Amino acid sequence: MDDTKRVLYVEDEKFFGDTLNKLLTHSGYTVMVAEDGEKGLELAKSFQPHLILLDIILPKVDGKEVLKMLKADPTTKQIPVIVLSNLNSEEDVKKMTELGALHFYVKALTMPTAILAAVKDAIGAGVAPQV
């Protein structure tokens, strides 16, 4: 049985997607990156992640709609969602929290290691890579 924790990162900025993908993969998580909200919703159902990292400003379907749809769907509503965005108004934070986000981090102000710590806190440590 595979104990690997699965993380879905819905992010359209390649730099952020690649950076966190490498960090999480190196830390023992299986990571999928979706570059738009529509693909993120599809992968949330097919990949069945243990956690979703979600940007707000996304092509096709924005993060607020993605979060609403995830929390309305019985197959995805229990998956914890951590929002990573460069939007940082109190209104954005409040809205995403009300919609069910576990945490809200401002990408430009948050070290990737802090995001890794939040992932570990939410779903536990990744599995050490086999050598």
Side-chain angles (χ1 to χ4, degrees), residues 2-119:
D2 184 10
D3 316 337
T4 307
K5 305 283 185 171
R6 295 179 305 280
V7 177
L8 171 60
Y9 188 16
V10 187
E11 172 62 72
D12 62 320
E13 292 180 44
K14 187 166 174 32
F15 173 77
F16 288 110
D18 288 350
T19 300
L20 268 184
N21 186 354
K22 285 178 187 153
L23 177 64
L24 292 168
T25 300
H26 182 73
S27 299
Y29 297 93
T30 298
V31 182
M32 293 282 288
V33 179
E35 57 290 326
D36 63 60
E38 193 175 274
K39 185 74 173 166
L41 287 165
E42 287 173 22
L43 285 173
K45 291 179 184 175
S46 62
F47 182 56
Q48 282 295 299
H50 294 96
L51 177 83
I52 297 171
L53 299 172
L54 178 65
D55 190 11
I56 295 176
I57 299 176
L58 294 166
K60 298 189 180 177
V61 182
D62 75 24
K64 288 178 186 170
E65 278 304 307
V66 169
L67 185 54
K68 277 186 208 169
M69 294 165 85
L70 289 170
K71 294 304 177 181
D73 185 327
T75 62
T76 57
K77 72 179 183 183
Q78 298 303 323
I79 302 170
V81 177
I82 295 175
V83 175
L84 304 175
S85 179
N86 278 323
L87 297 179
N88 65 348
S89 73
E90 282 184 35
E91 183 181 320
D92 289 319
V93 175
K94 184 174 187 258
K95 180 70 175 166
M96 295 305 278
T97 304
E98 285 172 354
L99 290 173
L102 183 62
H103 297 292
F104 189 111
Y105 292 97
V106 178
K107 287 188 280 192
L109 305 176
T110 307
M111 294 296 293
T113 51
I115 296 165
L116 174 61
V119 169

